[in-house]
mmCIF file of all heavy atoms in Angstrom:
data_model
loop_
_atom_site.group_PDB
_atom_site.id
_atom_site.type_symbol
_atom_site.label_atom_id
_atom_site.label_comp_id
_atom_site.label_asym_id
_atom_site.label_seq_id
_atom_site.Cartn_x
_atom_site.Cartn_y
_atom_site.Cartn_z
ATOM 1 N N VAL A 357 6.042 2.328 17.362
ATOM 2 C CA VAL A 357 6.477 1.705 16.103
ATOM 3 C C VAL A 357 7.836 2.176 15.706
ATOM 4 O O VAL A 357 8.713 1.409 15.322
ATOM 5 C CB VAL A 357 5.405 1.898 15.018
ATOM 6 C CG1 VAL A 357 5.971 1.429 13.641
ATOM 7 C CG2 VAL A 357 4.118 1.165 15.355
ATOM 8 N N GLY A 358 8.054 3.518 15.782
ATOM 9 C CA GLY A 358 9.320 4.075 15.469
ATOM 10 C C GLY A 358 10.476 3.545 16.311
ATOM 11 O O GLY A 358 11.543 3.180 15.869
ATOM 12 N N ASP A 359 10.253 3.434 17.659
ATOM 13 C CA ASP A 359 11.262 2.930 18.569
ATOM 14 C C ASP A 359 11.571 1.460 18.248
ATOM 15 O O ASP A 359 12.776 1.020 18.299
ATOM 16 C CB ASP A 359 10.768 3.032 19.982
ATOM 17 C CG ASP A 359 10.650 4.496 20.488
ATOM 18 O OD1 ASP A 359 11.226 5.379 19.770
ATOM 19 O OD2 ASP A 359 10.045 4.742 21.505
ATOM 20 N N GLU A 360 10.529 0.677 17.903
ATOM 21 C CA GLU A 360 10.732 -0.731 17.645
ATOM 22 C C GLU A 360 11.585 -0.885 16.340
ATOM 23 O O GLU A 360 12.397 -1.723 16.251
ATOM 24 C CB GLU A 360 9.383 -1.466 17.483
ATOM 25 C CG GLU A 360 8.648 -1.642 18.764
ATOM 26 C CD GLU A 360 9.344 -2.714 19.676
ATOM 27 O OE1 GLU A 360 9.752 -3.733 19.119
ATOM 28 O OE2 GLU A 360 9.479 -2.448 20.883
ATOM 29 N N ILE A 361 11.226 -0.014 15.366
ATOM 30 C CA ILE A 361 12.060 -0.141 14.094
ATOM 31 C C ILE A 361 13.497 0.244 14.312
ATOM 32 O O ILE A 361 14.356 -0.420 13.799
ATOM 33 C CB ILE A 361 11.398 0.774 13.069
ATOM 34 C CG1 ILE A 361 9.998 0.203 12.625
ATOM 35 C CG2 ILE A 361 12.328 0.978 11.835
ATOM 36 C CD1 ILE A 361 9.244 1.133 11.657
ATOM 37 N N GLU A 362 13.746 1.261 15.141
ATOM 38 C CA GLU A 362 15.118 1.599 15.443
ATOM 39 C C GLU A 362 15.822 0.475 16.132
ATOM 40 O O GLU A 362 17.054 0.174 15.880
ATOM 41 C CB GLU A 362 15.156 2.845 16.292
ATOM 42 C CG GLU A 362 14.899 4.141 15.551
ATOM 43 C CD GLU A 362 15.257 5.377 16.403
ATOM 44 O OE1 GLU A 362 14.892 5.454 17.539
ATOM 45 O OE2 GLU A 362 15.932 6.281 15.825
ATOM 46 N N ALA A 363 15.171 -0.204 17.086
ATOM 47 C CA ALA A 363 15.740 -1.342 17.809
ATOM 48 C C ALA A 363 16.095 -2.440 16.847
ATOM 49 O O ALA A 363 17.153 -3.063 16.921
ATOM 50 C CB ALA A 363 14.785 -1.773 18.873
ATOM 51 N N LEU A 364 15.189 -2.720 15.871
ATOM 52 C CA LEU A 364 15.435 -3.781 14.926
ATOM 53 C C LEU A 364 16.600 -3.376 14.051
ATOM 54 O O LEU A 364 17.455 -4.291 13.711
ATOM 55 C CB LEU A 364 14.190 -3.992 14.040
ATOM 56 C CG LEU A 364 13.005 -4.670 14.727
ATOM 57 C CD1 LEU A 364 11.719 -4.623 13.832
ATOM 58 C CD2 LEU A 364 13.337 -6.143 15.077
ATOM 59 N N GLN A 365 16.708 -2.154 13.685
ATOM 60 C CA GLN A 365 17.798 -1.688 12.852
ATOM 61 C C GLN A 365 19.190 -1.803 13.568
ATOM 62 O O GLN A 365 20.176 -2.272 13.006
ATOM 63 C CB GLN A 365 17.592 -0.209 12.431
ATOM 64 C CG GLN A 365 18.539 0.304 11.371
ATOM 65 C CD GLN A 365 18.328 1.737 11.055
ATOM 66 O OE1 GLN A 365 17.943 2.570 11.930
ATOM 67 N NE2 GLN A 365 18.519 2.117 9.842
ATOM 68 N N ARG A 366 19.173 -1.548 14.868
ATOM 69 C CA ARG A 366 20.369 -1.704 15.642
ATOM 70 C C ARG A 366 20.820 -3.164 15.722
ATOM 71 O O ARG A 366 22.008 -3.476 15.824
ATOM 72 C CB ARG A 366 20.181 -1.141 17.075
ATOM 73 C CG ARG A 366 20.152 0.385 17.151
ATOM 74 C CD ARG A 366 20.305 0.878 18.546
ATOM 75 N NE ARG A 366 19.201 0.504 19.387
ATOM 76 C CZ ARG A 366 18.088 1.226 19.552
ATOM 77 N NH1 ARG A 366 18.000 2.356 18.912
ATOM 78 N NH2 ARG A 366 17.103 0.802 20.356
ATOM 79 N N LYS A 367 19.832 -4.063 15.643
ATOM 80 C CA LYS A 367 20.129 -5.502 15.662
ATOM 81 C C LYS A 367 20.587 -6.055 14.300
ATOM 82 O O LYS A 367 20.795 -7.252 14.146
ATOM 83 C CB LYS A 367 18.926 -6.319 16.169
ATOM 84 C CG LYS A 367 18.619 -6.005 17.645
ATOM 85 C CD LYS A 367 17.381 -6.803 18.092
ATOM 86 C CE LYS A 367 17.026 -6.516 19.562
ATOM 87 N NZ LYS A 367 15.753 -7.194 19.950
ATOM 88 N N GLY A 368 20.649 -5.117 13.315
ATOM 89 C CA GLY A 368 21.156 -5.558 12.001
ATOM 90 C C GLY A 368 20.057 -5.849 10.986
ATOM 91 O O GLY A 368 20.305 -6.293 9.855
ATOM 92 N N GLN A 369 18.761 -5.596 11.359
ATOM 93 C CA GLN A 369 17.630 -5.818 10.419
ATOM 94 C C GLN A 369 17.675 -4.721 9.350
ATOM 95 O O GLN A 369 17.755 -3.478 9.686
ATOM 96 C CB GLN A 369 16.333 -5.831 11.198
ATOM 97 C CG GLN A 369 16.063 -7.092 11.886
ATOM 98 C CD GLN A 369 15.600 -8.213 10.935
ATOM 99 O OE1 GLN A 369 14.708 -8.060 10.161
ATOM 100 N NE2 GLN A 369 16.334 -9.331 11.033
ATOM 101 N N SER A 370 17.512 -5.081 8.088
ATOM 102 C CA SER A 370 17.432 -4.108 7.003
ATOM 103 C C SER A 370 16.080 -3.426 7.061
ATOM 104 O O SER A 370 15.046 -4.097 7.327
ATOM 105 C CB SER A 370 17.623 -4.792 5.677
ATOM 106 O OG SER A 370 17.288 -3.913 4.641
ATOM 107 N N LEU A 371 15.952 -2.184 6.791
ATOM 108 C CA LEU A 371 14.744 -1.440 6.703
ATOM 109 C C LEU A 371 13.888 -2.008 5.601
ATOM 110 O O LEU A 371 12.628 -1.890 5.617
ATOM 111 C CB LEU A 371 14.974 0.016 6.512
ATOM 112 C CG LEU A 371 15.654 0.773 7.706
ATOM 113 C CD1 LEU A 371 15.767 2.279 7.376
ATOM 114 C CD2 LEU A 371 14.945 0.604 9.001
#
Side-chain angles (χ1 to χ4, degrees):
V357 171
D359 292 346
E360 288 290 316
I361 291 174
E362 283 193 314
L364 289 170
Q365 189 181 37
R366 286 194 295 270
K367 293 177 181 178
Q369 283 284 305
S370 168
L371 295 182

